Amino acid sequence: MSFSQYLYSATWFLPVRILLSFLYRVIITLRNTLYDLGIFKTHRVATQVISVGNISVGGSGKTILVQALIEYFSDHKKQSAVLSRGYGRNTKGLLLVADRSSLKIDPSAAGDEPFLIAQNHPGIPVVVAEDRVRGAQYLVAKFLPDVIILDDGFQHRRLHRDLDLLLMDQPANQKQRLVPWGKLREPLGNIERADLFLYSKSGMRENDQNNLIFQLDNQVCDHAGNHHELSGLKGEYGLFAGLGNPNFFFQSFEQQHYAAHARIAFVDHTQYDSAQKEEISQISCTYWITTQKDFIKLDSEFCQRQNIYYIKVKAKLPETLIRHLKQHFK
């Protein structure tokens, strides 16, 4: 258990979390009010922007939706580019992760999610920058895309967006508490800023046409880039992942395959140092399955020795979103 996990589970620390949550509410409310009044300025760039965001911490599926949007725009002959903060990277400032020809930096410098997006979509420019306005201006000046996809952009109001998508993975029965007491990044009332809600994972509603459906591939990939039919893998296997919501991945995979012998949930954006590798190595399994986001941070030798495969996940865009895309991005 990490120190942060210990603090979150410690009863004695709860009053501190409640106080910090109250102070955070005051700050976020003041900030949003200043944007609403026009005192804090929103900046436009010379291309259209679509934002993908969420209201709570954890893995809502933003990166998977970003990739689905890239494919949608590509199918409709539009050049897209991706702008992200690059959470978890060991660098600062504006960096080009990939241009139209090749990857430029590794996962540790780019952040695992921007690197994954660039790796899966050659020819799509990807930039990371804390200053999203500067990052968008750079993309426009250097690549002239038809649309910029802003990853994790709901709380970053300095950059104007033409379509604001909000992923809702908040269960209806979950307490509405702000971090660090709860999991909300903003009060739930702020969801009214979004143009469209999409319900994902634990927030999905029965038979709702705004549900974002995730689909696991029928194949897995190994360290050498070879594809294998999932149905052909036999024996006791293990699952591990460093995600905001690893249990959703574990449960989805077991529904498609069969029950795992072992599960290991690491913290989100885990970099896989010797401690994490040792934890995997200590459990005897015929093979391991993880996500592509985790796999790209592991060296080939370790993956070969432990017989580790990754599986890709895709999202099926709901018809309501497709109608919005056709309306805003003609």
Side-chain angles (χ1 to χ4, degrees), residues 9 15 24-25 34 84 89 91 96 143-144 172 176 187 197 223 225 243 245 255 262 284 293:
S9 61
Y24 177 73
R25 177 183 290 271
L34 292 173
S84 173
R89 61 186 172 124
T91 56
L96 180 63
F143 300 105
L144 290 174
Q176 298 179 17
F197 309 143
H223 67 283
L243 303 172
N245 185 1
Q255 287 172 5
S284 178
K293 172 181 168 179

Side-chain angles (χ1 to χ4, degrees), residues 57-60 183 201 242-247 266-269 293:
V57 298
S60 58
K183 293 193 173 184
K201 298 187 176 180
L243 303 172
N245 185 1
N247 284 331
F266 296 112
V267 297
D268 198 10
H269 303 285
K293 172 181 168 179

